[in-house]
Amino acid sequence: MGIAEELSALRSKALAAVEMADSLDTLESVRIAYLGKKGSLTAVLRGLGALSAEERPVVGQLSNEVRATVEAALADKRRSLQATARASRIAAEVVDVTLPGRVRMPGKSHVIHQVVDEIVETFVGLGYQVAEGPEVELDYYNFTALNHPPDHPARALQDTFYVRDLSGERAVVEGESDVLLRTHTSPVQVHIMETQKPPIYVLAPGKVFRRDVADPSHLPQFTQIEGLVVDEGITFGDLKGTLEHFVKRMFGEDRRVRLRPHFFPFTEPSAEVDVSCGICGGEGCRSCGGEGWLEILGCGMVDPKVFGHVGIDPERYTGFAFGMGAERIAALKYGIPDLRLFIEGDTRFLHQF
Ligand code: PHE
């Protein structure tokens, strides 16, 4: 076969290979195979030197044409492959702007924490300090030092979680005091008065535990906030004024406060505190059970017998204490009918707050 035939056969083969290339990578290897340094067309051109003087310009021109044709075909094919690649990339990346977005649910503080924080802030604003006490407590702090007689019903097994040791016996510390889960935050009063001298202005929030079955108004574990003030010349009027300030801050300026005589072993006198119903304003409606008032906390003047346990001179100092349930306050503030909602962890409920 003469060199001219060889060239035109090469052109057909090259054009066919270009046509068949289905990706930019294969197209590039076709280019290298024919036009590269070691390519077939390049090899033919190397042979030009062996041709006669008449043949050389003819074959030279022909090979230039072949080269130009193959290059043009390569360029066309490259453009069309690039366009296809781009079109399929765009198709793959298409964004459906009509799809609903993904809703992000950032974490947030639990509503009970929010309520505790709000109460703490109110009292910190009055100069109170925040304190904590142990959740696993001794009978001495939970009951005895708070003037509960040995046969007080709250000490009974059906009301209090007692801690058992590894042998299954009731755990006892120092041979005398039972270990239990505190049933209220009042034992923190005793810890504070044992370790601090008056003046004392303290708020103690924390978990408490009672052997109750969860129902709309009871939880076996809930949150209390204890307040304790011990100073010279503290009166029941100070207690009342403090609680009125707190209630108006928490529930609104239009709410009223009512104190009803009550009994707690560690305060004397004692009272339960009601807030006027936010729905009927005190008239009586379904939401307050026709009463017009809702109970929110217990309080009283620190009993001198408690001062006796902690070595504070009752002739010089007087004090008041109060304790409230955060879940109950939150339920009243937000109109929640069932306390169990606070502990179920349903984010559809919790994200409202
Ligand atoms: N500890 C009491 C209770 O849990 C509440 C209380 C606290 C009452 C402080 C008086 C003073 O019911």
Side-chain angles (χ1 to χ4, degrees):
M1 179 159 58
I3 196 155
E5 289 82 51
E6 211 180 304
L7 274 171
S8 66
L10 254 178
R11 171 169 54 196
S12 319
K13 267 177 71 189
L15 291 177
V18 167
E19 187 49 44
M20 277 174 62
D22 56 0
S23 73
L24 289 165
D25 284 346
T26 14
L27 190 65
E28 177 62 5
S29 40
V30 171
R31 188 190 67 77
I32 291 166
Y34 290 94
L35 305 182
K37 258 194 219 145
K38 292 177 185 157
S40 349
L41 187 63
T42 319
V44 174
L45 294 179
R46 287 224 177 86
L48 278 182
L51 294 178
S52 67
E54 300 86 65
E55 271 183 313
R56 213 178 293 151
V58 183
V59 175
Q61 203 197 340
L62 180 60
S63 61
N64 280 340
E65 274 169 35
V66 171
R67 189 179 185 91
T69 315
V70 173
E71 271 174 353
L74 278 167
D76 273 358
K77 186 71 180 183
R78 187 172 303 119
R79 247 178 271 118
S80 99
L81 283 175
Q82 275 167 347
T84 319
R86 196 154 164 269
S88 60
R89 206 175 60 232
I90 288 169
E93 283 174 359
V94 78
V95 172
D96 180 355
V97 292
T98 67
L99 270 181
R102 290 198 188 107
V103 179
R104 278 174 199 267
M105 295 254 262
K108 63 192 296 198
S109 162
H110 191 280
V111 55
I112 297 304
H113 264 141
Q114 294 178 35
V115 166
V116 169
D117 284 349
E118 195 178 336
I119 297 169
V120 166
E121 264 171 42
T122 301
F123 284 95
V124 166
L126 294 174
Y128 285 55
Q129 303 211 301
V130 179
E132 272 187 0
E135 289 164 9
V136 179
E137 189 51 282
L138 297 181
D139 174 291
Y140 173 77
Y141 289 96
N142 197 79
F143 293 127
T144 307
L146 291 169
N147 203 32
H148 286 70
D151 56 353
H152 191 278
R155 284 187 136 128
L157 258 180
Q158 65 264 28
D159 290 326
T160 302
F161 289 109
Y162 286 90
V163 175
R164 294 183 182 275
D165 63 22
L166 288 177
S167 65
E169 297 294 313
R170 278 233 211 148
V172 173
V173 166
E174 285 152 16
E176 43 177 314
S177 199
D178 284 333
V179 183
L180 46 79
L181 302 187
R182 66 180 177 191
T183 60
H184 52 174
T185 44
S186 298
V188 187
Q189 290 186 35
V190 182
H191 288 292
I192 291 165
M193 291 189 281
E194 274 183 348
T195 53
Q196 293 181 30
K197 289 191 169 18
I200 292 169
Y201 291 79
V202 161
L203 202 68
K207 295 188 186 86
V208 301
F209 308 85
R210 291 184 191 174
R211 289 186 74 138
D212 277 323
V213 174
D215 70 22
S217 53
H218 296 84
L219 296 174
Q221 180 198 305
F222 59 102
T223 313
Q224 277 194 340
I225 298 147
E226 190 84 9
L228 173 69
V229 167
V230 183
D231 205 345
E232 289 179 22
I234 296 292
T235 67
F236 202 89
D238 296 317
L239 170 59
K240 187 163 186 244
T242 303
L243 295 176
E244 270 173 357
H245 170 78
F246 160 69
V247 165
K248 286 175 191 292
R249 276 291 291 267
M250 195 69 198
F251 295 100
E253 284 298 321
D254 57 325
R255 305 295 280 273
R256 282 166 298 131
V257 174
R258 176 176 86 172
L259 278 81
R260 277 180 292 105
H262 196 73
F263 174 80
F264 296 106
F266 43 96
T267 48
E268 182 60 32
S270 303
E272 273 188 336
V273 176
D274 300 337
V275 56
S276 58
C277 174
I279 310 271
C280 63
E283 298 289 302
C285 66
R286 253 187 16 181
S287 122
C288 55
E291 289 289 312
W293 297 91
L294 302 153
E295 183 209 319
I296 53 162
L297 59 83
C299 65
M301 302 303 289
V302 179
D303 193 304
K305 291 203 191 95
V306 177
F307 282 149
H309 279 287
V310 294
I312 287 180
D313 178 4
E315 295 299 321
R316 182 167 171 201
Y317 294 107
T318 50
F320 64 72
F322 56 86
M324 61 185 113
E327 286 78 2
R328 190 172 164 73
I329 302 273
L332 292 176
K333 188 174 165 90
Y334 295 114
I336 308 302
D338 190 330
L339 299 184
R340 290 173 295 188
L341 286 163
F342 291 127
I343 56 167
E344 277 166 359
D346 185 333
T347 51
R348 292 169 304 177
F349 172 74
L350 294 174
H351 267 276
Q352 302 175 94
F353 303 99

